[in-house]
Amino acid sequence: MDFEKIYNEYKNIVYNLALQYVQNQADAQEITQDIFLSIYKNLNSFQKKSSIKTWVYRIAINKSLDFIKSRKRIKRRFFFDAIRNNQTKEKVQFSHFDHPGVILEQKEAVKKIFDAINQLPERQKTAIILLKIENKTQKETALIMHCTVKSVESLYQRGKNNLSKLINNEGK
Amino acid sequence: MKENEKKYVYKVNMNVDFLQKIKSVEIPKHVASRILLNIQSNRYEKISAVYIRRVAAIFILFLVADISTIVYYHQKHKENENDSNSYIELDKNQIYNE
């Protein structure tokens, strides 16, 4: 398999998926590089048990979640530093909302939804992103997430309910 | 279904459906080419890093082997010295006793 061919075919898919997770162009570009580096390294060990598309999606999701985890670790460190320096009132934010796929008029509304999505458990978040933003079918989502269609359905329903609770609580 | 529940379900669906308005974007061309270049050049960096690490590991192995050999011979030499000293002392004692 030719790496360049895979890169040209999937670069936009991967970039968009990373954007849905971090909602920031610079971070999404960094994640895209990490994803393709991982694909480049593991291309020879790809066993073709799934399609290349599913494999690329899995790597992209895992790398995006890893990136968020690493950011949270840094954030926690900064938070403790802030406690030490009595600066807890200031909210430490790393990357602002900068999603190029959202038009200006809807920016505030979409940001609010994404703020809630970011608080969801990883798998619920992934189910919502794949089904509603990436427009994948339940079967495709199940393949990517390595679970059954029923699990995807239940993850999506729970995610949707939690999302609504979070949005309503913020509004109060 | 109660009226409140209906409203709740409608609101939930509205929130999620709103996400479908997000458009798909293309990665900027200069970024795409930079990423490809970075990845392809990274291979050589990785190879050189692995090579340097191996050479360093072999060097450390030889260093440890050398040090342990020196320590071993030093101890052996000391033991030999001690042995010869005790012979001398034994001789002296023998003289006095006689």
Side-chain angles (χ1 to χ4, degrees), chain A residues 3-4 7 11-12 15-16 19-20 29 32-33 36-37 40-41 99-103 106 109-110 113-114 117 128 131-133 135 156 160-161 163-165 167-168, chain B residues 7-44 46-47:
Chain A
F3 174 75
E4 262 192 66
Y7 181 75
K11 64 184 179 198
N12 287 326
Y15 178 63
N16 276 288
L19 263 176
Q20 318 310 350
Q29 286 165 12
T32 305
Q33 178 161 309
F36 280 106
L37 189 65
Y40 184 83
K41 279 187 205 162
H99 196 308
V102 180
I103 55 169
Q106 294 168 351
V110 176
I113 300 171
F114 267 119
I117 287 178
I128 288 178
L131 288 169
K132 283 292 160 184
I133 309 177
N135 291 321
Y156 174 65
K160 210 165 78 167
N161 289 334
L163 193 66
S164 187
K165 278 178 202 164
I167 291 170
N168 289 338
Chain B
K7 268 186 187 173
Y8 179 75
V9 171
Y10 175 74
K11 214 172 177 181
V12 171
N13 287 333
M14 273 289 287
N15 283 332
V16 179
D17 289 342
F18 207 74
L19 293 172
Q20 284 172 324
K21 289 179 181 173
I22 296 169
K23 285 175 193 162
S24 178
V25 290
E26 274 192 13
I27 187 166
K29 274 180 186 165
H30 68 281
V31 177
S33 51
R34 193 191 67 211
I35 289 174
L36 188 65
L37 204 73
N38 278 351
I39 291 167
Q40 284 175 334
S41 60
N42 203 358
R43 178 172 56 163
Y44 302 106
K46 290 272 181 252
I47 289 168

